[in-house]
Amino acid sequence: GIQVEQSPPDLILQEGANSTLRCNFSDSVNNLQWFHQNPWGQLINLFYIPSGTKQNGRLSATTVATERYSLLYISSSQTTDSGVYFCAVPHSGAGSYQLTFGKGTKLSVIP
Amino acid sequence: EPEVTQTPSHQVTQMGQEVILRCVPISNHLYFYWYRQILGQKVEFLVSFYNNEISEKSEIFDDQFSVERPDGSNFTLKIRSTKLEDSAMYFCASSGPGQGQPQHFGDGTRLSIL
């Protein structure tokens, strides 16, 4: 099946700093999702981004499908950004929609 | 914005007991999923459901698991005889109405097996 690698595994930021999280995947995909898991365990949809760039407030994401990676940018980080960020892609195989998740990047934003 | 809702938020059960986790997907979605996340680990796929039948399942989804859409709105996951290693957060997700649409996740049910 498809492999998803995220880096870095852990990241500590001072409030107000910017960061870039990376997601590499081993096979071509036709969609990719970024999630934020907050400290209460909820999975929040951030982006559905099979290719190109999208922005939502202080967050933006870019997927370069031909090179099999996606980046999540967080600007002017806030303590509420803390949590784990996952990327997920569909499993390899025609007609398969199950998502394969990476192990996540644990972000801690300190005041 | 429509949401996927899951109940209960937390379930504590004795080992060997049956549990049913409930989900109400987004109303116009046609594809339904269950995932689980053992504490501190990544989210893993269990099963997908479309047109009233299982379309895919993982190795985790063995004979003790079953899914059902008993009516037009609910989607359930049953674990027949729970084991300690079933302790995890279980997420329901839905997508649609077309193929390959983003999956929307519920807030999860934290299952604790004693």
Side-chain angles (χ1 to χ4, degrees):
Chain A
I2 195 166
Q3 304 299 313
V4 180
E5 299 290 333
Q6 291 188 244
S7 59
D10 295 279
L11 185 59
I12 300 174
L13 292 178
Q14 200 77 39
E15 197 169 24
N18 303 328
S19 64
T20 301
L21 282 57
R22 188 176 181 102
C23 172
N24 292 332
F25 39 94
S26 61
D27 205 349
S28 59
V29 298
N30 55 18
N31 79 58
L32 182 143
Q33 290 184 246
W34 280 99
F35 297 90
H36 174 217
Q37 186 166 42
N38 64 23
W40 296 271
Q42 298 169 320
L43 275 174
I44 311 299
N45 258 318
L46 295 178
F47 293 101
Y48 169 71
I49 182 165
S51 63
T53 297
K54 290 186 178 180
Q55 179 143 13
N56 184 2
R58 296 181 295 103
L59 273 59
S60 65
T62 295
T63 296
V64 184
T66 53
E67 297 188 21
R68 300 179 185 173
Y69 73 89
S70 183
L71 302 174
L72 178 68
Y73 306 96
I74 304 174
S75 64
S76 304
S77 58
Q78 300 176 358
T79 55
T80 52
D81 295 331
S82 295
V84 184
Y85 290 80
F86 291 102
C87 69
V89 298
H91 195 263
S92 299
S96 174
Y97 305 114
Q98 60 172 281
L99 292 178
T100 297
F101 283 72
K103 292 183 177 179
T105 292
K106 184 177 180 180
L107 175 65
S108 302
V109 181
I110 55 177
Chain B
E1 184 174 326
E3 293 180 343
V4 176
T5 57
Q6 290 187 241
T7 55
S9 56
H10 192 190
Q11 173 89 41
V12 181
T13 301
Q14 292 287 331
M15 186 173 58
Q17 296 297 304
E18 175 184 285
V19 295
I20 297 177
L21 309 183
R22 304 181 190 279
C23 170
V24 179
I26 294 173
S27 61
N28 67 335
H29 285 182
L30 300 179
Y31 297 83
F32 314 115
Y33 313 84
W34 284 101
Y35 293 81
R36 81 171 186 190
Q37 184 183 31
I38 295 171
L39 186 64
Q41 298 186 21
K42 67 177 183 178
V43 180
E44 301 174 289
F45 168 78
L46 290 178
V47 65
S48 60
F49 193 86
Y50 170 72
N51 201 24
N52 284 320
E53 62 182 22
I54 291 173
S55 46
E56 294 176 287
K57 60 182 181 180
S58 71
E59 293 177 351
I60 303 168
F61 193 87
D62 61 21
D63 291 344
Q64 69 163 341
F65 291 92
S66 62
V67 290
E68 191 177 30
R69 188 157 164 82
D71 53 42
S73 59
N74 290 286
F75 180 51
T76 62
L77 174 69
K78 181 191 291 187
I79 309 174
R80 190 174 51 205
S81 178
T82 51
K83 305 170 188 169
L84 293 176
E85 54 264 37
D86 294 327
S87 295
M89 180 78 99
Y90 288 81
F91 291 102
C92 173
S94 69
S95 67
Q99 295 178 352
Q101 296 299 303
Q103 295 183 24
H104 296 259
F105 282 69
D107 287 346
T109 292
R110 186 169 300 281
L111 178 63
S112 300
I113 308 299
L114 304 179

